[in-house]
Structures are given as structure tokens and as C-alpha cells.
Amino acid sequence: MTPLTFPANSARATMDDVARLSGVSLKSVSRVINGEPHVSANLRAKVEAAIAELNYVPDAAARSLAGSRTFIIGLLLDNPSPHYTMKIQKGVYNVVRSHQYHLRIDNVDSTVPDEQFSAQLEALIRNNRCDGFVLTPPLSDNLLLLDFLEARKIRYVRIAPALDNARGPGIAIDDAAAAAAMAQHLWDLGHRRFAVMRGPASHMAAARRRDGFIAELERLGSATPIIDADGGFSFEGGIAAGETLIAQSPRPTAVFACNDDSAAGVMAACSKAGLKVPDDISVCGFDDSWIARSVWPYLTTVYQPIEEMGQAAAALLLRRDEQEGKISQLGFQLVIRDSTAPPRQTQG
Amino acid sequence: MTPLTFPANSARATMDDVARLSGVSLKSVSRVINGEPHVSANLRAKVEAAIAELNYVPDAAARSLAGSRTFIIGLLLDNPSPHYTMKIQKGVYNVVRSHQYHLRIDNVDSTVPDEQFSAQLEALIRNNRCDGFVLTPPLSDNLLLLDFLEARKIRYVRIAPALDNARGPGIAIDDAAAAAAMAQHLWDLGHRRFAVMRGPASHMAAARRRDGFIAELERLGSATPIIDADGGFSFEGGIAAGETLIAQSPRPTAVFACNDDSAAGVMAACSKAGLKVPDDISVCGFDDSWIARSVWPYLTTVYQPIEEMGQAAAALLLRRDEQEGKISQLGFQLVIRDSTAPPRQTQG
DNA sequence: TTGTAGGCGTTATCAA
DNA sequence: TTGATAACGCCTACAA
């Protein structure tokens, strides 16, 4: 019934065409398309047949002009890592498209003064509304943004929020539990002297990882104080802070970095200092980002389902029912690769 | 005149409001908004004042329903590296937004059979047209896609096209010249025995880099045959192929990889084999991607202005004048870091 | 140089 | 359960 190839230049069918072909009114066609109740099965069948025959698809512009929906979901981005961003974007995209929606991208810069930031937001929604935004970190915790959206009754879902959990719906993982799992892994290998490379103070999730790691070690009975340093979430920061950490005496036998980039920095610092990973020292990260498999040895890390988080966020946004400030947690996974091993006997 | 804060819930002004306030007709307002000719300075001033006072912005949905433009630019993506994609995306975004356009993202999978691929394309443009697409590699060289768009008279600009240059407008760099510059750099350092890590056969730009590198060496007077191997553009591939290359006897003193990822793989292979970079062997890459500064030592590479390419592509698309198949070339830059150095005296 | 009338393709309001 | 008819906000003829 539906022709396999659709002539490129044939004029697109409109609702009028469908109504005429099926012999019903315009409004009835509209009802069928939007799945409204109070439509007889007979009428619905007729309309659907006509739609199929004409290869009809509703026009998005007309729909959003006449109605309240735009069939567009916005993804709000603010300089996270390319790897992270693309994963989120892909997850959001797939769900959005499967619902016949489109994905719009918007970048903002949240490091500017409040007034400028507000102006950016104004500009975004001025001439082209969308049906909701997916917020990525650090925007997920930007109170100014949340206020702005709520004042305009624009729906949003936050990814990896760390703040104000009652504020709006969100998707996250249990950072503390994931860090604890890593602590357990190192403990089981026999490590007893640890160092933590924390992230920048602004990154709330990093603090949770650090705290979760340390809390678990204390629970397991770690006696030694656990030193830490700020790796700034970057490779360069990881090198600098890593050099500090491995210069301690006695040297820690294992370093847990709160993200993969700074973990790679620690590995570079070890390499410069002549320490072999994992023989002389174990190093592990967090994220299972692309760099985890782009260093040698491959990095032991925590996988967080970033793409799935994007999917879940989009799905939440597309479900029109109002959900008040519920944060859904997704699972994580310990990924044990080659950068962690039992400590040397002489040191153990 | 323009209020600094704009009440969140005030109804948005329409063209009607502007017309009424400025005491002119609807059409005149339209003329001013669209910068049409034949408008007196006086009238224009009145209308612009009213627009400012009412904080008016045209409604995108109404505009695209009534007119032919949608004020949306699509970015067509197909699994390139996150780093590359995000750079392009950012460049396109900035230009698009500065023209009051919005950016729509569309992913396709070009590895599927032709029929499925066409179906994907159909789905993309069925219910929501856009004013043009920016095509990223490898889609820039996808003939099926180009045919599809041309048949529907949809404008596009190709990024880094390697094929069929007369086909449609595009933005690129001179890959061969960039690779030649790298050859010159290594030659000047004193290297005389080279290896090339080429990319996958499907990536046309990689072949140009390899060929350009070799051609330049021959021009410089290289006598030794230049060995090469396929690094698959990936870190893993780089390790495997790198092991082959450095096992040659006599060993090459410099390895040029056609992208950074496989260059990092070469460095890992060297590390495994006990070779120090750059003391024992020089390694260089291409792209100046993020990994170039996430390895130790930092990678010597070629910077290509990816973000600018995105900008240029968007700018080309937004200029409505018809440009037939012109490829604009942007500049590249040699980035000399720590992974290249003169060869050891004993080997030189 | 300016203005008037009609239409773009859909949803929403009412009445039947 | 269905269907006329009027918006939605703008642009494109065409006329003045």
C-alpha cells in the first residue's frame, strides 16, 4: 500500500487531502493524528488508511503555530568534555527522534556574570520555543537557570544534578556508591595506603566521589590517613597533583582519581618519576571515558551509563505527566583493566 | 529605552502590535524586519523604535509556515570522534545563532545498506524541513546523500570533502600540504628513515596525508623506501601497527601517524618496547585533538582549525547566493611539542 | 514607497 | 462521536 519510493518533488499531502480522501472532517483527522479519545474505530481506520496511502506527515511549523507543542527538545550545553557531551547528545537524540521530535542544541556560558547569563537565556527562547530542555552539568546545578525556566513554566530534566534534589526531575548515578566500590576493589587487592585526586570544588559530583571513597575505606578499617590533592579534572592538573601525591613518604600504593583525565595525568607523573603502573603503584579513574582506553596500561575506572542517562532524561521530558523533583538513579559498573594490581610484597 | 528585565509572563508582542504602535501597515513592519528595499528611512525608524519598545521578535513557527525559510540549520553527524564533532558543532552553532537561526542535530548511520540509509534520510526531512545541512565527514563524501539532497533542492555545505569537488560547496584544509610540512619538520631535525601510519581506506583525507608526506620526502631527497601500516585511526590500531613498524630493521627514527589517536597508539607501542619518545624515536600525529595533550610526552601534530571550519560552513550556508561546488581551503598549523626531536647521533 | 487581501497547515472552540 | 469555523503570526501576491 505504501509506495516504497516516494517521489522527491511531489507536493506533500496535507490534512485536507487526508480528510477529503477518507471522507471525514478536518478535525477528525486531527483527532486521529493526536490520538485523542472519542473516535470511533471505524473512523480511525478510514483516516489511517488515507494517511498511509497519501504518505501524510503533519507539518511541524503549522502544528506549533496553531498548537502549544513545538516537537522540539532542547539540549543545553556548557563546555563539558566532548566525550561526555556526545554520549549525552546521542542518548537524547535517539529517544527524541523515536518520538518524532527533533533535537535542538543550545550552548550557554555560565561563567559570565548573572546579567549576561540571563541575557543568553532570554535570547535562546525568544523566537523559537521548545517543549523542554535537557540540562547537562554544570547547568544541572545552576539555580539561576532553574529559576529562569520555572518562572516561564518551561519543563526541564537535569542530568547528574548534585544540588537541591527536590528542585526538578533528574537522572543520576550514585557517585558515592561507585567510589566506594572502587575503594573495595583496591582494598581487596591488598592496598592499605591510598591517595585521592579530587576534582574542582565547583563540581559537586567530584566531592561525592572523594567522600564516598574515603568513607568506604574507613568503614573497611583503613588506619592510615588518606591524603588528597586537587587534579582539576584535567590531564595537566593530574600531572601536577600526581607528582605531589607520589612524592609522599611512605608513598601511597594506590591512587584514586575522581575522573579519567586526571587519572591519566597521574599515570604520566608516574612515568616521569620512573614508577611503573601497576607494578609500583595502582592508578584508577572515574567515567570510563575514551581516555581510559587511550593510555597504557588501560585504566581501571568506573563506567557510568552516560548515553543511557541522556535517553532517560529525554524519556522523562517526553512523558508529559508532571513529576516533581524526582531523581532517578541509574546503575554504574566497576571496569577493572590493567592499571590496578596488588601492591608489591615488600610494601604490602 | 529597552527595559533591562523583561517580565516573564507578559504575552509576546506580534507584528500587529508593532504595526499599531508605529502607525504603519503590517506589510511595512514585515519589510523592515526582513531588510527589504524600498523602505523610507523615516518609516524604518518608526518601526524599529516600536520593535525595541515592545521587545518584539518574530515568531519562528509563523514565519516558516507562511514563508519558505525555517530559520533552522541542520548538522548531519555520523560517528566521527567526539572531539572533532564537538568542535564542528560549536563552530556551526556560533555562526547560526549570530544570524538568529537555530541548530538542529541529526545523526545518521551510513554504514547500513543503501535502502535503509535512504529511509533514514526520508525520515529526517519529512516533517520538519530546515534551510540547509552542514555535512561532516564521512558524510561529506557520501554520494547517495548528495544525490538525495540535490534531488530535493536542499542546500548543503560539506566539511572536509575529499571526493567529487565540483559537486557542492565545501570547507577543507590542504591535507597533503599539511603532511608535507610535517615531513619538512622531521627532515630538518635530521631524520632520514621514516614510517607512516596510514588511516582506514574509507577515509579519503587520510590517504591524502600519507601521500603528501611521502611525496614531500621524495622531493627532499629521501633515498630509503618509506614503510607504512594501517593504524585504523584508533589507539588500538596504532599499538598493533606501531609494533610492526618499530620492529623493522633498521628501525625508522620517525613515525608520522595520520591522526592523533593512532599516534598515541604508536607511543604506547614504543613504551611497551622500551623505546623512549623522542630520544629513541620521534612520533607525530595529525589533528591536534585532545589526546595530543593527554599523552606523555605531548604530541607534535598538525592543528587544523576545526571550529573555524564549522563556522565557515555555516556562514556559507547562510549566504543565500548560489555557489557551485567551490571548496574553500582554510589554513593549518604545525604544532611542535615534545614527541619529536633529532635522531640519536649513532643512528643519524 | 506603502498598504490590502488572502493563504500557509494545523489546533481549538464551539455547536450538532 | 463528529464537524463547521475561527484563530495562530507571518509572508506573498497585487494594488495604490
Side-chain angles (χ1 to χ4, degrees):
Chain A
M1 181 157 302
T2 312
L4 269 179
T5 55
F6 188 67
N9 49 0
S10 83
R12 295 176 56 198
T14 74
M15 246 173 63
D16 255 319
D17 301 325
V18 176
R20 218 171 308 133
L21 180 61
S22 52
V24 303
S25 79
L26 217 52
K27 180 60 197 173
S28 292
V29 177
S30 176
R31 288 202 178 91
V32 170
I33 289 167
N34 293 300
E36 287 172 31
H38 311 306
V39 182
S40 72
N42 177 26
L43 189 150
R44 178 181 304 280
K46 275 194 299 188
V47 171
E48 280 170 348
I51 287 177
E53 181 168 348
L54 292 172
N55 215 323
Y56 165 78
V57 252
D59 180 89
R63 238 136 88 110
S64 60
L65 176 57
S68 58
R69 293 178 296 173
T70 63
F71 297 91
I72 293 172
I73 291 296
L75 177 60
L76 220 50
L77 262 27
D78 179 29
N79 316 319
S81 84
H83 168 266
Y84 187 86
T85 307
M86 286 306 300
K87 288 273 191 194
I88 294 283
Q89 184 168 307
K90 198 170 174 202
V92 172
Y93 178 81
N94 287 338
V95 169
V96 155
R97 286 299 298 150
S98 75
H99 287 246
Q100 308 281 48
Y101 272 61
H102 282 276
L103 177 61
R104 197 179 91 187
I105 295 297
D106 279 305
N107 295 321
V108 293
D109 180 1
S110 62
T111 64
V112 300
D114 285 2
E115 284 194 20
Q116 284 181 43
F117 184 65
S118 297
Q120 289 181 53
L121 298 179
E122 276 291 353
L124 285 188
I125 62 157
R126 276 180 76 65
N127 67 339
N128 190 0
R129 294 216 131 65
C130 66
D131 292 349
F133 282 106
V134 173
L135 272 38
T136 55
L139 298 172
S140 307
D141 289 318
N142 188 310
L143 264 26
L144 195 57
L145 171 60
L146 301 188
D147 287 342
F148 180 91
L149 295 176
E150 284 168 15
R152 286 158 185 75
K153 302 203 191 315
I154 299 175
R155 293 163 51 87
Y156 64 85
V157 171
R158 308 190 281 162
I159 290 184
L163 223 57
D164 226 345
N165 279 350
R167 191 60 182 274
I171 306 290
I173 66 161
D174 188 340
D175 283 289
M182 187 61 89
Q184 178 84 56
H185 164 63
L186 294 172
W187 185 268
D188 290 348
L189 285 174
H191 292 277
R192 293 297 179 269
R193 283 198 308 282
F194 305 90
V196 179
M197 175 153 303
R198 53 177 203 273
S202 65
H203 198 305
M204 324 288 298
R208 297 192 166 186
R209 292 171 195 170
R210 170 187 171 282
D211 295 346
F213 184 79
I214 292 178
E216 178 68 5
L217 287 179
E218 284 168 352
R219 195 188 67 76
L220 289 166
S222 172
T224 342
I226 294 149
I227 57 174
D228 68 348
D230 184 356
F233 262 20
S234 72
F235 182 74
E236 289 83 353
I239 292 183
E243 285 173 341
T244 309
L245 292 179
I246 62 182
Q248 301 291 317
S249 174
R251 195 170 63 223
T253 63
V255 180
F256 168 59
C258 286
N259 80 338
D260 286 346
D261 298 57
S262 57
V266 174
M267 288 179 61
C270 292
S271 172
K272 285 171 78 175
L275 294 175
K276 279 210 163 180
V277 176
D279 300 339
D280 298 319
I281 186 167
S282 285
V283 177
C284 53
F286 201 107
D287 276 349
D288 195 21
S289 80
W290 179 71
I291 198 176
R293 293 185 60 89
S294 297
V295 291
W296 190 262
Y298 290 154
L299 194 63
T300 291
T301 184
V302 173
Y303 167 79
Q304 48 170 336
I306 303 177
E307 191 169 333
E308 284 88 335
M309 291 170 78
Q311 289 175 359
L316 216 54
L317 211 48
L318 292 172
R319 262 215 307 275
R320 305 285 296 175
D321 49 4
E322 286 306 322
Q323 338 218 355
E324 281 309 323
K326 282 250 298 285
I327 307 295
S328 310
Q329 284 198 335
L330 267 48
F332 56 85
Q333 220 165 335
L334 208 56
V335 181
I336 298 171
R337 296 213 179 91
D338 308 316
S339 67
T340 49
R344 277 197 194 289
Q345 288 299 77
T346 54
Q347 296 194 11
Chain B
M1 180 156 308
T2 313
L4 270 180
T5 55
F6 188 67
N9 48 1
S10 83
R12 293 176 57 197
T14 76
M15 244 172 66
D16 254 318
D17 301 325
V18 176
R20 220 170 308 135
L21 180 61
S22 53
V24 304
S25 79
L26 218 52
K27 178 60 201 173
S28 292
V29 178
S30 174
R31 287 202 178 90
V32 171
I33 289 167
N34 293 301
E36 286 172 33
H38 311 306
V39 182
S40 72
N42 178 24
L43 189 149
R44 179 181 303 280
K46 276 194 298 188
V47 170
E48 280 170 349
I51 287 177
E53 182 169 346
L54 293 172
N55 216 320
Y56 167 77
V57 251
D59 179 88
R63 237 136 87 109
S64 60
L65 176 57
S68 58
R69 293 180 295 175
T70 64
F71 297 91
I72 293 173
I73 292 296
L75 177 60
L76 221 48
L77 262 27
D78 179 29
N79 316 318
S81 83
H83 169 266
Y84 187 88
T85 307
M86 285 308 297
K87 287 271 192 197
I88 294 282
Q89 183 169 309
K90 197 170 174 199
V92 172
Y93 178 82
N94 287 337
V95 169
V96 155
R97 285 301 298 151
S98 74
H99 288 246
Q100 308 280 50
Y101 272 60
H102 282 275
L103 177 60
R104 196 179 91 187
I105 296 297
D106 279 305
N107 296 321
V108 292
D109 180 1
S110 63
T111 64
V112 300
D114 284 3
E115 284 195 19
Q116 284 180 43
F117 185 64
S118 299
Q120 289 180 55
L121 298 179
E122 276 290 356
L124 285 188
I125 62 158
R126 277 179 76 64
N127 66 338
N128 189 0
R129 294 216 131 65
C130 65
D131 292 350
F133 282 106
V134 173
L135 272 36
T136 55
L139 297 172
S140 308
D141 289 318
N142 187 310
L143 264 28
L144 195 58
L145 171 60
L146 301 187
D147 288 343
F148 179 92
L149 294 175
E150 283 167 16
R152 286 158 186 74
K153 302 201 192 318
I154 299 174
R155 294 163 50 86
Y156 64 84
V157 172
R158 307 190 283 163
I159 290 185
L163 222 58
D164 225 343
N165 278 350
R167 189 62 182 275
I171 306 290
I173 67 162
D174 188 339
D175 283 290
M182 187 61 90
Q184 178 84 56
H185 164 63
L186 294 172
W187 185 269
D188 291 346
L189 285 174
H191 291 278
R192 292 299 179 269
R193 282 198 308 283
F194 304 91
V196 179
M197 175 153 304
R198 54 178 203 276
S202 64
H203 198 304
M204 325 287 299
R208 297 191 164 186
R209 293 171 194 170
R210 170 188 170 282
D211 295 347
F213 184 80
I214 291 177
E216 178 69 5
L217 287 179
E218 284 168 352
R219 195 189 68 75
L220 289 167
S222 172
T224 341
I226 293 148
I227 58 173
D228 69 348
D230 183 356
F233 260 22
S234 71
F235 182 73
E236 289 85 353
I239 293 184
E243 286 173 341
T244 309
L245 291 179
I246 63 181
Q248 301 291 317
S249 175
R251 195 171 59 223
T253 64
V255 180
F256 168 59
C258 286
N259 81 338
D260 286 347
D261 298 54
S262 57
V266 175
M267 288 180 62
C270 293
S271 172
K272 285 171 77 176
L275 294 175
K276 277 210 166 182
V277 177
D279 301 339
D280 298 320
I281 187 167
S282 285
V283 177
C284 54
F286 202 108
D287 275 349
D288 193 24
S289 79
W290 178 71
I291 198 174
R293 292 184 63 86
S294 298
V295 290
W296 191 262
Y298 290 155
L299 194 64
T300 291
T301 185
V302 173
Y303 166 79
Q304 49 170 335
I306 303 176
E307 191 169 334
E308 285 88 336
M309 292 170 78
Q311 288 175 0
L316 215 57
L317 210 48
L318 291 172
R319 263 215 308 274
R320 303 284 297 174
D321 48 5
E322 285 308 321
Q323 337 220 357
E324 281 310 321
K326 283 251 293 287
I327 307 294
S328 311
Q329 283 198 335
L330 267 48
F332 55 85
Q333 221 166 336
L334 209 56
V335 181
I336 298 172
R337 296 214 178 92
D338 310 315
S339 66
T340 50
R344 281 197 192 287
Q345 289 298 76
T346 53
Q347 298 195 9

